[in-house]
């Protein structure tokens, strides 16, 4: 089995866009947390505390999503370097690990989105009743 040097390069644009989306999510949630923290300092309600706790979990997940996304990109570049040096087997394994990192990143993204949807449903539950 052979792997062309262009194959790992296919992940560059997709991974870059995913990392940009993750960064935007992180910045948005960080801004919400800052606002809620100010409100919590004034009101100290359990509802606000639980929201901050939920957002803190989501921030942690986004951090790991970014970590595995960057690791995917790093390993893709490393696989290209190894393929350039005509080390096919190592290049194939590195590219495989890179794809696995991308899979982990996307799985964490799904988890973070499901937490977000659940929180929004709880927030809107009083309107449904």
């Amino acid at each position: 089995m052979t792997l062309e040097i262009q194959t790992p390069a296919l992940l560059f644009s997709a991974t870059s866009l995913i990392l940009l989306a993750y960064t935007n999510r992180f910045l948005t949630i960080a801004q919400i947390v800052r606002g809620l923290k100010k409100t919590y300092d004034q009101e100290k309600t359990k509802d606000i505390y639980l929201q901050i706790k939920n957002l803190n979990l989501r921030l942690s997940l986004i951090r790991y999503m970014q970590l595995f996304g960057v690791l995917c990109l790093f390993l893709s570049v490393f696989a290209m370097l190894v393929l350039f040096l005509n080390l096919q087997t190592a290049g194939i394994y590195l590219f495989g690990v890179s794809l696995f990192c991308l899979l982990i990143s996307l799985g964490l993204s799904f988890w973070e989105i499901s937490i977000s949807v659940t929180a929004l449903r709880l927030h809107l539950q009083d309107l449904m009743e």
Side-chain angles (χ1 to χ4, degrees):
M1 182 167 137
T2 62
L3 183 67
E4 298 292 323
I5 197 167
Q6 297 89 352
T7 305
L10 293 173
L11 287 182
F12 286 6
S13 60
T15 307
S16 298
L17 289 173
I18 287 171
L19 289 172
L20 180 63
Y22 292 169
T23 301
N24 287 339
R25 285 159 88 172
F26 179 85
L27 293 173
T28 300
I29 292 173
Q31 185 177 12
I32 293 168
V33 167
R34 286 184 189 102
L36 282 174
K37 174 69 169 77
K38 286 181 184 177
T39 305
Y40 181 76
D41 287 342
Q42 296 168 354
E43 298 177 23
K44 303 240 189 263
T45 66
K46 185 175 181 175
D47 182 51
I48 294 173
Y49 173 76
L50 292 174
Q51 288 180 43
I52 292 172
K53 189 174 176 182
N54 177 286
L55 290 169
N56 188 40
L57 172 61
R58 290 178 57 199
L59 286 171
S60 295
L61 287 174
I62 292 171
R63 182 179 62 214
Y64 287 114
M65 289 160 38
Q66 290 173 324
L67 170 75
F68 282 103
V70 168
L71 194 55
C72 168
L73 195 57
F74 176 82
L75 290 171
S76 293
V77 172
F78 196 50
M80 287 176 63
L81 176 65
V82 168
L83 289 170
F84 180 75
L85 298 173
N86 290 323
L87 300 170
Q88 272 293 315
T89 305
I92 290 169
Y93 284 118
L94 282 170
F95 185 59
V97 174
S98 171
L99 290 174
F100 187 68
C101 287
L102 181 59
L103 188 63
I104 291 171
S105 178
L106 293 172
L108 290 170
S109 176
F110 181 75
W111 183 13
E112 190 269 330
I113 289 170
S114 67
I115 290 171
S116 174
V117 169
T118 302
L120 285 173
R121 283 191 178 142
L122 286 172
H123 190 67
L124 297 174
Q125 190 173 19
D126 61 338
L127 293 176
M128 303 297 179
E129 296 172 353

